[in-house]
Amino acid sequence: MRCTAAVVFTVAASAMEKNPIRRVVSLMQNMQKKIEAEAERDDALFAKFQCYCDKNSALTSESIKTGKAKIEQLESDIPEEQAQRTQTITELQQHKDDRAGANQAIEDGTSQRKKENKAFEEEAADIKANTAAIDQAVQAISKGMTGFLQTAQAKTVLAVLDKVDVMEDDKAAVKAFFQSGSSADLPASGEIVGILKTMSDEMNKRLDEITHNEQESLSNFNGLVAAKNKEIRAAQDAIEEKTERAGQLAVHITVLKNDLEETKSTLEEDEGYSAELAKNCETKAKEYDEIKKTRSEELLALADTIKVLNSDDALEMFKKTLPSGESLMQLETSTRATRHQALDRLHMVMKHHADPRLDLIALALSGKKQNFDKVMKLIDEMVQNLKVEQTDDDAKVAYCKKEIDQTEDKQKELQHKVEGQDAHIEDDEGSIDTLKSEIKALVAGIKDLDKSVAEATEQRKSEHEEYVKTAADDNAALDLLEFAKNRLNKFYNPKQYKEAPKEEEESFVQISAHSGKDEPPAAFGAKSSSSGGGVIGMIDKIRNELKTEMNEDKLEEEDSQQDYEKLMADSAKKRAADVSARTDKEAALADAQADLTDTKERRKETKTDVSETARYMSNLHATCDWISDNYDSRKVARAEEVEALEKAKAVLSGADFSLVQKTAFLGRK
């Protein structure tokens, strides 16, 4: 704190002829006004600084409290999230294992089904071949064809005997019959035929049994496949859900960890800033108390000195001892007591507070010539200090202007950055919404595709069963037409007639009996070849049309099967493509969500920079506004002070010169 005394010298030229004590009193009074003005200014500045300390201390304390609470919450949330992700990954692996197990079960079941079907086909073929051989043997024996006993079919019949459950006596009879080559001295052929038919019935019964078992096994296999496919779909849905959940948890955990690190860093900065703020505020408060104490002591010293010099007794004495035209030497001689009282007061203050301006007053009161050189040197130093102070103010004003301009530019840049990040966040959120919509559409499409495939499979199965049934009916119709034609040929074209087995003939007779229509009566004792040929021709035409229809049905069945297989292949390809697209979009969604989180974090950092920059700008204004607002007045005041000091120096120089003249004049007297 400096109180400038040179202002009083602005009237130095006009005060040359005044009382020296009056000039000293005026000087000290001006010093009082200057000190009081500086006190008011310092009080206002310290009030602002105290407000700054209180405000920032409260904000920092609240920020520290919030940061500690947030760290505690984050340190609790992160392990919970990690535990959830671990549980999710465990469940995800279990679902994958379930899916693999279901696929393996289908694969094992398929392999077993193929083996069972192969065994069935082999056994069924063997039974059919054996029954065919037995049927031929029955026909041959019934017709008395002993030459049949030497054929391969006869050997087949003998081989079959050991495979069927027949009484040993019956086996021995059949073997004896076939090995004899003749029916002489052997049981009647009818008994052999009965044994063979029994064997055929047993084998047909076995065929029916294994056919039933095959159908039941196929049904069980289809049920297994359907159940496992359902398990696979459920596991796949769970895998997709858990994969997405695990990814979301991983992203969230990363965000929480980053947030924890940033919060700890911010807390550390806030605690450091709080400690530094408290230290600086306490130091400034002590410094200001010391300044106020020193200023009070200085004002008290000035007031006491002015009181002494300005008292009625002193004024009366000065009137008597200091006429207006007297020299400094006369002043020293006549007013020594008053001067010593003022000097004593000043010296008491100067013991506790060193101030060049008080020295200047003391020297002026002492009136010693040898000290005026020091006073003038002090004035020169004061002028130089004022110039240095002005240079400092110039530099500080330039610095403030530069820093404020740069900070304003930085604020604009940060605001532009925030706007860009907001636009980026908006784009990311739009992309996320689009991806979610697309993923939802893909999931719905996959479900619809699976439903369509199931419906197509069910339809193909129904069509195939209808085809099998129709084909069986058509074959039965062909056999019936063939039997009818053969029967007509027996009458109209005996040479083309083929003897049918009795059992087959009886079966067709039964079919005819069940048709509900009587056969037309034949003309007694006559036959018409022309009529017979027309009927046979009609039968041939019907048979040909039926065969054509059967071929068309077969081609249609093959085409339908090919279309179904193509549909299955295309559906599988489309499903794989949709699943792949869904996986890609889910990955893109995860990337977009991660990018959104990162952008939000960067926006948060940018907004922190905005707040810090605003705080820095506020501090700049708190520091620079006063110097900028008072720059011109301070500059003018300094200029006037320098001018006053230079005039004071001139006054002192003039005083020295006058003193020399006065001394010489007195010497001559």
Side-chain angles (χ1 to χ4, degrees), residues 566-585:
K566 185 176 182 301
L567 173 64
M568 292 297 103
D570 293 342
S571 298
K573 181 185 287 187
K574 182 174 185 347
R575 193 182 195 283
D578 288 348
V579 170
S580 176
R582 176 185 175 184
T583 302
D584 293 341
K585 290 185 182 299

Side-chain angles (χ1 to χ4, degrees), residues 284-295 297:
K284 291 294 183 182
K286 290 181 179 179
E287 290 177 356
Y288 186 68
D289 290 340
E290 184 65 26
I291 290 171
K292 288 180 66 177
K293 179 181 178 182
T294 303
R295 184 183 286 121
E297 292 175 353

Side-chain angles (χ1 to χ4, degrees), residues 387-406:
K387 291 181 180 179
V388 171
E389 289 177 0
Q390 184 60 43
T391 302
D392 292 342
D393 278 2
D394 293 340
K396 190 169 185 179
V397 168
Y399 167 79
C400 288
K401 185 177 183 303
K402 177 182 176 183
E403 283 297 309
I404 290 174
D405 290 342
Q406 290 180 348

Side-chain angles (χ1 to χ4, degrees), residues 588-606:
L589 175 61
D591 292 341
Q593 289 173 334
D595 183 64
L596 176 62
T597 301
D598 180 65
T599 304
K600 285 184 177 180
E601 289 299 316
R602 286 188 281 109
R603 182 181 63 175
K604 181 180 177 182
E605 294 173 358
T606 305

Side-chain angles (χ1 to χ4, degrees), residues 473-492:
D473 293 341
D474 290 343
N475 284 321
L478 281 178
D479 292 341
L480 181 59
L481 290 172
E482 181 64 26
F483 175 80
K485 178 182 177 181
N486 189 52
R487 182 65 182 84
L488 290 174
N489 281 333
K490 183 177 182 181
F491 180 77
Y492 293 105

Side-chain angles (χ1 to χ4, degrees), residues 144 324 337 403 427 513:
S324 62
E403 283 297 309
D427 292 341

Side-chain angles (χ1 to χ4, degrees), residues 16-20 23 317-335 658-659 662 666:
M16 289 291 293
E17 301 300 329
K18 290 185 178 181
N19 190 319
R23 289 185 308 189
M317 183 181 61
F318 290 149
K319 287 180 182 179
K320 295 177 181 180
T321 58
L322 293 176
S324 62
E326 294 190 8
S327 67
L328 291 176
M329 186 171 292
Q330 289 173 322
L331 177 64
E332 180 181 3
T333 318
S334 60
T335 61
S658 299
L659 182 60
K662 180 62 71 176
L666 292 174

